[in-house]
Amino acid sequence: MNGIEPHWAWLIAAAVMGIAEILVPGVFLIWLAAAAAVTGVVALALPIGPASQFALFGLLSLAAVYFGRRIYAANPIESSDPLLNDRATRLIGETLVVVAAIENGRGRVAVGDTVWPARGADAAIGSRVRVTGAEGTALLVEPLAAPGSPLPGPG
């Protein structure tokens, strides 16, 4: 027979997908690698043709991905920084400067070298405000008390 034996092709494919999963983790290729490995072992043990091997690989891939998703749903991976991709929520508690007066509950505040929409009590340009929450891309803010003045009351 010319070329590589089919079972070796499946096992090599499994190894390549396993290495790809390590290099670019996406928690997906590992399940296909498992399906390819099982297909390779079955092709080694039983004399099945290429069509049957591809059908087996397809069925095993579906089953492996299905069970893999169930495993990850039942055992979620906790992030060391759950707010990593939620910049607005990360800003809660920060003190910012108003760059476009907050009038009728809407204005803009400086966040680093960018400007964000803000909602809250009226505040003049240059006023300092504290972020209390986020609503979409708008930051919810409250004015900071000026030195020597009482703290703002609850609305």
Side-chain angles (χ1 to χ4, degrees):
M1 185 178 251
N2 293 342
I4 191 168
E5 294 292 324
H7 62 273
W8 284 116
W10 287 110
L11 295 173
I12 291 170
V16 168
M17 284 187 271
I19 291 168
E21 178 70 26
I22 291 170
L23 295 176
V24 184
V27 192
F28 184 76
L29 284 177
I30 195 68
W31 305 113
L32 299 180
V38 171
T39 302
V41 170
V42 169
L44 176 63
L46 302 173
I48 58 175
S52 298
Q53 291 175 23
F54 281 108
L56 178 63
F57 174 71
L59 290 173
L60 290 172
S61 294
L62 289 173
V65 170
Y66 173 76
F67 287 113
R69 287 180 52 93
R70 288 183 54 110
I71 289 169
Y72 282 115
N75 304 303
I77 298 171
E78 295 296 325
S79 172
S80 61
D81 189 0
L83 301 177
L84 179 65
N85 293 319
D86 192 355
R87 186 162 182 215
T89 304
R90 289 180 79 127
L91 293 171
I92 293 175
E94 295 289 323
T95 300
L96 306 174
V97 176
V98 175
V99 295
I102 301 176
E103 296 173 341
N104 298 320
R106 297 183 184 271
R108 298 183 71 75
V109 293
V111 178
D113 60 353
T114 62
V115 176
W116 286 47
R119 294 187 189 152
D122 290 356
I125 293 175
S127 299
R128 298 178 67 75
V129 293
R130 177 174 290 116
V131 179
T132 59
E135 191 174 279
T137 59
L139 298 175
L140 304 177
V141 298
E142 66 182 11
L144 287 179
S149 63
L151 293 173

